[in-house]
Amino acid sequence: MSTKDRLVVILTALNLEYQAVCERLSDLTVHRHAAGTRFEIGRLGRGGCRVALALVGKGNHPAAVLAERAMAEFSPAAVLFVGVAGGLWPNIRLGDVVVASKVYAYHGGTSENDGLKARPKAWEIPHEADQIAHHVARSGRWRDGLTAEPHPATVHFGAIAAGEVVQDSAVSEQARWIRQHYNDALAIEMEAAGVAQAGHLNRALPVVVVRGISDHADGTKTSTDGHNWQPRAARHAAAFAVALAQELVNNSPAPATSDIDSDRSAPVRMTNRNVATGNARVGIQAGQIQGGVVIGAGADRPADLTASLGELRRGLKQAHRDGGLDNDTYEAAEAELDTAVDCVREGVAGSRNRLLLALRRLRGLVGEVAELAAHLASIIAAVKAFQ
């Protein structure tokens, strides 16, 4: 799979966060999950990686469920959670960006006679993703396109505390709990723990949480919201996140495939000759059979060709779901594939030229999807070799 075909999932909790990411994507198409979740799939610029964007709502629980859903649906190179958060230290200015080097699920605890004891869960950012994020921050190019400000946003790396309560006080019981048990946390929010858990349980898929600071979680939230710090912080977080997404894809290894997987698109041709003497008759005698089996000398619709076209149709549908084919291209490809299937049903010998023409047109439509192009090449070769 080429770099430009790799996909990163970006999730947000709020509409303004979603919009901030959406503004940086092009060629958006809607992808609807069977359970009703709506994704929009687009590209970063004209030649950038693909991004699947979704709105998950507030809270760690829905974030975890929908993160897992996105991972299963798209098999992404990474998952980014992007949005706003409350800063916990004076040196973290409004509009700054915090990248979570560690995520605390801070509400875990045990209630005992002498008080509440902390039992947190924590997830650290994967080492390679952390290194790439630092590189993006150092380059400063992620700020390109942002409105010039007297104090450009700074990127901070540190712990983020994720719970289920909106914190807007510096003196509340929860604020004291955070200071006592999670003193290294730079920001506080409500979704990172769910997404981090989903990534951890999905073969340690890289998850990066990127937050723009929109308030200081100290009782001034109403005032800062009134000065439009939420959309500004969301834009800063989105700018850093999309730059990071592209670098993550550029530096991620291609999906591992076994020799069997890499050859799956090519028809496997095996010849077995059975010898019988006397009055004995043998239909098929073979230790292992892969692909189709044709019995009889005059068959002109090989079972492996029919199966290959069926597999190609499944590949077309998957590429369309993943955003690799737009609606118009997908419909045109389906029409050519229908023509090819009809030709095979009529008999390859009598419609060979028409079949090749349909397959070549189909290859022209899906040529940018490497797997489909390779599969078509093997089918065209099989038809050419047919006698």
Side-chain angles (χ1 to χ4, degrees):
M1 182 182 293
S2 66
T3 297
K4 71 176 184 178
D5 289 325
R6 298 299 304 279
L7 181 143
V8 172
V9 167
I10 296 182
L11 305 175
T12 71
L14 305 176
N15 273 308
L16 66 90
E17 300 163 344
Y18 185 100
Q19 187 60 36
V21 177
C22 203
E23 289 172 355
R24 294 179 171 272
L25 303 179
S26 61
D27 303 325
L28 286 168
T29 58
V30 175
H31 175 89
R32 294 177 179 86
H33 188 272
T37 307
R38 175 189 172 110
F39 296 89
E40 285 193 271
I41 300 176
R43 285 198 182 275
L44 299 179
R46 294 193 176 276
C49 70
R50 293 188 300 145
V51 170
L53 175 63
L55 181 73
V56 304
K58 297 178 183 179
N60 288 296
H61 300 302
V65 171
L66 295 185
E68 167 61 28
R69 182 168 294 171
M71 294 170 191
E73 186 77 354
F74 299 108
S75 299
V79 174
L80 276 61
F81 203 96
V82 180
V84 299
L88 294 176
W89 291 91
N91 66 308
I92 309 294
R93 298 195 308 263
L94 297 180
D96 281 359
V97 173
V98 174
V99 178
S101 59
K102 183 190 298 182
V103 174
Y104 289 123
Y106 69 81
H107 272 132
T110 175
S111 180
E112 300 181 8
N113 291 338
D114 58 347
L116 185 63
K117 305 294 191 298
R119 287 189 177 180
K121 284 187 176 181
W123 300 266
E124 291 191 355
I125 186 174
H127 174 66
E128 186 174 14
D130 180 54
Q131 293 283 295
I132 294 171
H134 275 87
H135 168 75
V136 172
R138 285 193 300 268
S139 74
R141 289 193 297 271
W142 67 273
R143 297 189 185 90
D144 293 348
L146 291 177
T147 304
E149 298 179 359
H151 302 287
T154 300
V155 180
H156 305 268
F157 291 82
I160 284 181
E164 300 299 327
V165 176
V166 176
Q167 180 171 318
D168 189 26
S169 171
V171 297
S172 67
E173 183 177 348
Q174 176 163 293
R176 292 194 298 271
W177 174 265
I178 297 293
R179 280 197 300 274
Q180 180 179 357
H181 297 285
Y182 309 95
N183 192 254
D184 61 336
L186 302 184
I188 186 167
E189 44 98 300
M190 299 173 62
E191 292 82 29
V195 182
Q197 177 74 61
H200 172 73
L201 296 178
N202 202 305
R203 298 181 177 179
L205 179 71
V207 170
V208 184
V209 178
V210 180
R211 294 291 189 173
I213 301 303
S214 61
D215 61 82
H216 278 119
D218 60 357
T220 61
K221 181 174 173 57
T222 301
S223 174
T224 54
D225 286 355
H227 287 86
N228 290 322
W229 274 108
Q230 271 203 343
R232 290 164 68 182
R235 285 195 298 271
H236 294 176
F240 185 86
V242 297
L244 175 60
Q246 186 62 61
E247 286 298 317
L248 287 170
V249 166
N250 291 345
N251 289 274
S252 65
T257 56
S258 66
D259 291 340
I260 294 176
D261 288 336
S262 63
D263 292 339
R264 189 172 290 167
S265 62
V268 179
R269 300 189 177 278
M270 299 178 65
T271 301
N272 186 77
R273 178 172 295 177
N274 299 308
V275 179
T277 58
N279 293 323
R281 293 184 179 182
V282 178
I284 299 174
Q285 179 178 322
Q288 184 178 13
I289 299 175
Q290 292 177 300
V293 176
V294 179
I295 302 176
D300 71 340
R301 195 178 79 187
D304 60 350
L305 184 55
T306 302
S308 292
L309 291 176
E311 185 178 348
L312 180 63
R313 190 181 298 278
R314 290 189 292 273
L316 277 175
K317 291 179 179 178
Q318 186 62 48
H320 181 234
R321 285 196 295 267
D322 290 347
L325 297 175
D326 59 42
N327 290 335
D328 292 340
T329 303
Y330 173 67
E331 290 174 3
E334 279 279 1
E336 295 296 344
L337 182 56
D338 289 341
T339 300
V341 170
D342 290 341
C343 290
V344 173
R345 287 173 179 165
E346 293 168 6
V348 177
S351 57
R352 183 169 176 270
N353 290 338
R354 191 158 61 95
L355 173 57
L356 283 172
L357 181 60
L359 292 173
R360 286 166 179 156
R361 286 174 176 168
L362 181 54
R363 183 171 60 182
L365 290 167
V366 304
E368 291 188 358
V369 183
E371 292 88 344
L372 296 180
H375 196 157
L376 270 165
S378 67
I379 295 175
I380 291 171
V383 174
K384 287 181 177 178
F386 182 79
Q387 300 295 329

